[in-house]
C-alpha cells in the first residue's frame, strides 16, 4: 500500500532532550515536506526537500533540522526541544513539486514538550 | 508571500442540505489545488485534486471547482450527512516557490 509512515504517533519529552521524528514513503516520491499544525494557525511548513541531499527552509524552520540521505526517508530533528514546539506534526510527500500529482500525508505525530 | 484563505471558519448545517465551502488564493499562477478532510486529531485525507488546467473535479457527492483568474475554488457537498462533519482544508501549489500553502480550514458540523 502506498503510504507515508511517521513514527512515533505520540511523544512526550522534556525540554532540551534531543529527539527525531521519522518519516518514510514507499512511492519513490522526490518531494517531501514537514508541517506543524497549531490551533488558529493552521498548517505551516517547516522544511521541505526537492530530492536527495536537497533541502530548504519553509516558513517556520527555527529549532528544527532535517536531512535527506535517502529518497524514501526524511527525518525531522529537534536538537533542543522547547515547549513552544508542542504541536501536531505531519510529513507529506509528492512525486515532485509542480507535477500533476497531489500530496500524500502521514498520520501525524503529536509532540508534547514539558 | 502567497496566502490561502478559507471562509467561513466554521459552518453548521442540518442534514440533507447542499453546501459550499470557499477557498481563495493570492496568486493565479498555480500548479494545482487540493482539498483535504481532517477529522479531529487525525491526519489529512485527500478528497480532490484539481490541476491548473482543469475547471472542476468530482468524486461522489463532492464537486470542486477552480477559477484561477479570480483566485478561487469552491468545494460543493451535496446532500450533507453527519459523517461529513470534519474540518476541510484547501492547499495550493504555487508556481513561484517550492511550497504547498494551506488555508486555515472550515470546520463543518452536519446536524442530524
Amino acid at each position: 500500500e502506498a503510504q507515508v509512515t511517521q513514527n512515533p504517533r505520540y511523544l512526550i519529552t522534556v525540554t532540551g532532550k534531543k529527539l527525531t521524528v521519522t518519516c518514510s514513503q514507499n512511492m519513490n516520491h522526490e518531494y517531501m515536506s514537514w508541517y506543524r499544525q497549531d490551533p488558529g494557525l493552521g498548517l505551516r511548513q517547516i522544511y521541505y526537500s526537492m530530492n536527495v541531499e536537497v533541502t530548504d527552509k519553509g516558513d517556520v524552520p527555527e529549532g528544527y533540522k532535517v536531512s535527506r540521505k535517502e529518497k524514501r526517508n526524511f527525518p525531522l530533528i529537534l536538537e533542543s526541544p522547547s515547549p513552544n514546539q508542542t504541536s501536531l506534526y505531519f510529513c507529506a510527500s509528492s512525486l515532485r513539486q509542480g507535477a500533476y500529482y497531489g500530496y500524500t500525508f502521514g498520520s501525524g505525530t503529536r509532540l508534547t514538550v514539558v | 508571500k502567497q496566502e490561502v484563505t478559507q471562509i467561513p471558519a466554521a459552518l453548521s448545517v442540518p442534514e440533507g442540505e447542499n453546501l459550499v465551502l470557499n477557498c481563495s488564493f493570492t496568486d493565479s499562477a498555480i500548479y494545482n489545488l487540493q482539498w483535504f478532510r481532517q477529522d479531529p486529531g487525525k491526519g489529512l485525507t485527500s478528497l480532490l485534486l484539481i490541476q491548473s488546467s482543469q475547471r472542476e473535479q468530482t468524486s461522489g457527492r463532492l464537486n470542486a471547482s477552480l477559477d484561477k483568474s479570480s483566485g478561487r475554488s469552491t468545494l460543493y457537498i451535496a446532500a450533507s450527512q453527519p459523517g461529513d462533519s470534519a474540518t476541510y482544508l484547501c492547499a495550493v501549489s504555487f508556481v513561484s516557490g517550492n511550497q504547498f500553502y494551506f488555508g486555515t480550514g472550515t470546520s463543518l458540523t452536519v446536524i442530524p
Side-chain angles (χ1 to χ4, degrees), chain A residues 38-78:
Chain A
D38 302 289
L41 297 176
L43 280 134
R44 295 176 293 168
Q45 193 174 45
I46 304 170
Y47 269 94
Y48 62 92
S49 170
M50 301 289 285
N51 212 325
V52 175
E53 301 290 3
V54 181
T55 62
D56 209 345
K57 298 176 181 178
D59 294 320
V60 288
E62 295 78 19
Y64 304 94
K65 285 177 58 178
V66 293
S67 68
R68 186 91 181 272
K69 293 185 171 61
E70 307 165 279
K71 200 170 190 178
R72 63 182 294 130
N73 296 322
F74 190 45
L76 179 69
I77 303 159
L78 285 72

Side-chain angles (χ1 to χ4, degrees), chain B:
Chain B
K1 178 176 181 276
Q2 288 94 343
E3 289 187 3
V4 180
T5 305
Q6 290 185 250
I7 295 173
L11 182 63
S12 184
V13 300
E15 182 177 2
E17 272 204 7
N18 302 323
L19 58 99
V20 173
L21 306 181
N22 296 296
C23 174
S24 60
F25 44 95
T26 51
D27 185 348
S28 61
I30 69 171
Y31 287 122
N32 56 51
L33 182 147
Q34 196 166 355
W35 283 94
F36 294 89
R37 168 188 173 133
Q38 185 177 29
D39 293 290
K42 303 292 186 183
L44 281 71
T45 301
S46 179
L47 298 173
L48 290 164
L49 171 69
I50 310 178
Q51 300 302 328
S52 61
S53 58
Q54 297 175 320
R55 295 297 300 271
E56 65 178 345
Q57 281 284 344
T58 298
S59 176
R61 294 182 294 108
L62 305 180
N63 175 277
S65 67
L66 175 64
D67 183 346
K68 273 194 314 179
S69 61
S70 66
R72 291 182 182 179
S73 175
T74 60
L75 178 66
Y76 175 83
I77 303 176
S80 58
Q81 303 170 357
D84 294 330
S85 298
T87 296
Y88 291 81
L89 297 157
C90 73
V92 180
S93 179
F94 292 100
V95 172
S96 174
N98 296 311
Q99 297 178 259
F100 191 54
Y101 287 91
F102 279 86
T104 50
T106 294
S107 177
L108 172 66
T109 301
V110 180
I111 304 165

Side-chain angles (χ1 to χ4, degrees), chain A residues 12-55:
Chain A
I12 301 174
T13 191
V14 296
T15 299
K17 185 177 181 182
K18 181 179 178 180
L19 66 92
T20 299
V21 184
T22 63
C23 174
S24 179
Q25 49 90 9
N26 62 359
M27 297 167 280
N28 202 35
H29 283 175
E30 292 182 358
Y31 185 92
M32 297 185 73
S33 179
W34 276 103
Y35 290 84
R36 62 178 288 174
Q37 186 177 34
D38 302 289
L41 297 176
L43 280 134
R44 295 176 293 168
Q45 193 174 45
I46 304 170
Y47 269 94
Y48 62 92
S49 170
M50 301 289 285
N51 212 325
V52 175
E53 301 290 3
V54 181
T55 62

